């Protein structure tokens, strides 16, 4: 363990100011990912600013009928919240499919969104990794490929984003509220994370010292008919090979509106915009669902070791939509 300084800030603005003075510092929430990376010598902060108790740790109703999730809300409490379970069941399902009960008790909403890839080469400091050390090459491209991305990759990085919660929030058009050195701003969830491009070391669009303070869920009445399906190597405590978050509104056998996002397939939660566009106004039938899934995955560029993810993602999307529309078609 490398030496570091620990500070407990008294306010959000104080935390932001502390980190602004430490270019190699980091915010500490639940620490379930950051501390592991420090032990592996992947993360080397010289200052940890404890923000666990600075931001709201509960779910609140908004005047427009949406919900605001405090950045400090533990994953377990968010998953159990009655409003979340009733209005946005995919969100609760996504949280309960991740980690373990002990970790969910400690992990926070903001920390879950900002967790880093579990690519084995990123976590192994003896191997080259452009995400960990830009310009050193990507060991994963010629290495173990099973868990890697099939959409939005670049020659510099094929890692996947690990958060299940982020996938559900992307499908629900959530927005992220932050406070940083330049003040407050609101970022659409679909724009928070980045594709790797030539700078895979940058996971998000956040500036150094910018702190997530809350996540807002817009009112979406048909999200009560939503689901999160996760395909993984074992039944618990495993990251997604493929995940699908979906909500659908069907009337008289026709899709009036739909939201779909994929996990385990890209460097960021992948909003299935092309599939959604094809589904709206069409019949809620398996053939139509399959056509939409195939159109979304037409741009996939799998590696030999993860080509199975393409049909897996297609079939998982179709099965999720079929289950949601059972009895409505």
């Amino acid at each position: 363990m490398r030496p570091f300084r620990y500070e407990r800030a008294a306010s959000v603005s104080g935390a932001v100011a502390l980190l602004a003075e430490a270019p190699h510092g980091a915010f500490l929430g639940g620490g379930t990912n950051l501390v592991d990376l420090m032990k592996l010598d992947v993360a080397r902060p010289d200052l940890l600013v404890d923000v666990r108790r600075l931001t709201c740790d509960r779910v609140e109703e908004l005047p427009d009928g949406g919900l605001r999730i405090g950045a400090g809300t533990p994953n377990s409490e968010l998953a159990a919240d009655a409003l979340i379970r009733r209005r946005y069941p995919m969100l609760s399902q996504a949280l309960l499919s991740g980690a373990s009960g002990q970790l969910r008790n400690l992990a926070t909403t903001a920390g879950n969104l900002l967790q880093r890839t579990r690519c084995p080469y990123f976590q192994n400091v003896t191997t080259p990794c452009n995400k960990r050390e830009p310009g050193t090459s990507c060991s994963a491209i010629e290495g173990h490929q099973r868990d890697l991305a099939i959409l939005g990759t670049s020659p510099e990085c094929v890692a996947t984003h690990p958060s299940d919660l982020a996938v559900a929030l992307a499908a629900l058009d959530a927005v992220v509220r932050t406070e940083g050195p330049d003040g407050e701003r609101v970022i659409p969830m679909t724009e928070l994370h980045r594709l790797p491009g030539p700078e895979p070391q940058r996971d998000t669009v956040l500036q150094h010292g910018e702190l997530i303070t809350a996540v807002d869920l817009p009112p979406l009445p048909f999200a009560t008919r939503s689901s999160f399906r996760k395909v993984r190597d074992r039944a618990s405590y495993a990251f997604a090979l493929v995940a699908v978050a979906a909500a659908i509104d069907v009337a008289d056998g026709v899709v009036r509106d739909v939201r779909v996002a994929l996990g385990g397939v890209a460097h960021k939660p992948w909003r299935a915009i092309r599939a959604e566009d094809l589904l709206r106004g069409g019949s809620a039938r398996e053939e139509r669902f399959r056509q939409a899934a195939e159109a979304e995955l037409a741009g996939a560029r799998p590696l030999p070791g993860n080509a199975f993810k393409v049909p897996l993602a297609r079939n998982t999307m179709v099965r999720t939509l079929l289950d949601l529309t059972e009895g409505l078609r």
Side-chain angles (χ1 to χ4, degrees):
M1 181 71 75
R2 297 173 182 267
F4 60 88
R5 184 163 59 97
Y6 170 88
E7 296 282 354
R8 179 175 291 177
S11 64
V12 169
S13 59
V16 170
L18 276 170
L19 211 62
E21 299 173 358
H24 301 294
F27 292 127
L28 176 68
T32 56
N33 184 215
L34 176 59
V35 173
D36 283 346
L37 293 177
M38 292 172 66
K39 291 177 180 178
L40 293 170
D41 204 29
V42 173
R44 303 172 181 177
D46 54 11
L47 169 66
L48 292 183
V49 179
D50 193 332
V51 296
R52 175 77 192 212
R53 293 173 175 82
L54 293 186
T55 57
C56 178
D57 61 356
R58 59 188 179 275
V59 178
E60 301 174 329
E61 293 201 65
L62 295 172
D64 65 357
L67 297 177
R68 175 164 294 168
I69 304 167
T73 306
N75 288 178
S76 56
E77 294 184 18
L78 182 58
D81 186 88
L83 292 174
I84 293 292
R85 295 178 67 182
R86 183 168 65 249
R87 298 184 192 178
Y88 311 94
M90 69 157 76
L91 202 56
S92 180
Q93 293 166 13
L95 286 162
L96 293 174
S97 73
S100 65
Q102 294 93 330
L103 287 173
R104 290 194 296 268
N105 286 339
L106 187 61
T108 63
T109 296
N112 188 297
L113 302 184
L114 299 180
Q115 61 183 300
R116 308 209 68 189
T117 184
R118 272 23 181 225
C119 176
Y121 301 100
F122 171 73
Q123 294 186 320
N124 183 352
V125 295
T126 68
T127 60
C129 171
N130 286 324
K131 178 176 282 295
R132 193 182 64 249
E133 296 183 60
T136 60
S137 79
C138 175
S139 298
I141 291 177
E142 298 296 333
H144 180 72
Q145 302 169 345
R146 179 174 174 79
D147 300 319
L148 303 181
I150 59 174
L151 292 166
T153 59
S154 75
E156 283 73 31
C157 184
V158 290
T160 56
H161 191 267
S163 172
D164 297 319
L165 172 62
V167 178
L169 290 174
L172 292 168
D173 287 320
V175 296
V176 176
R177 308 184 72 88
T178 70
E179 184 171 332
D182 298 327
E184 298 180 0
R185 65 169 171 160
V186 177
I187 307 168
M189 185 64 209
T190 53
E191 298 175 17
L192 175 66
H193 299 94
R194 300 176 64 259
L195 291 177
E199 296 181 292
Q201 71 275 16
R202 294 183 58 212
D203 291 343
T204 72
V205 299
L206 297 180
Q207 303 172 5
H208 178 73
E210 190 171 6
L211 178 67
I212 295 177
T213 56
V215 177
D216 288 355
L217 290 168
L220 190 66
F222 72 88
T224 56
R225 184 175 290 276
S226 68
S227 179
F228 184 86
R229 186 183 296 266
K230 181 176 180 177
V231 182
R232 45 189 166 174
D233 283 330
R234 56 184 182 271
S236 65
Y237 203 64
F239 294 96
L241 291 170
V242 166
V244 174
I248 193 165
D249 181 17
V250 176
D252 299 323
V254 175
V255 178
R256 295 192 298 190
D257 206 353
V258 64
R259 301 285 190 277
V260 181
L262 305 178
V265 297
H267 195 260
K268 61 181 289 184
W270 187 269
R271 181 68 178 268
I273 297 295
R274 183 177 298 180
E276 292 178 359
D277 289 343
L278 286 172
L279 288 168
R280 290 189 186 96
S283 59
R285 295 184 296 112
E286 180 175 356
E287 180 183 359
R288 187 79 173 185
F289 296 161
R290 190 167 298 277
Q291 290 171 350
E294 289 174 348
E296 188 63 49
L297 294 162
R301 297 293 180 267
L303 296 163
N306 70 355
F308 72 93
K309 280 194 175 188
V310 178
L312 181 61
R314 179 195 65 220
N315 294 340
T316 305
M317 192 187 306
V318 171
R319 173 47 56 192
T320 303
L321 292 170
L322 282 172
D323 286 353
L324 285 172
T325 56
E326 185 175 2
L328 301 177
R329 299 189 295 277

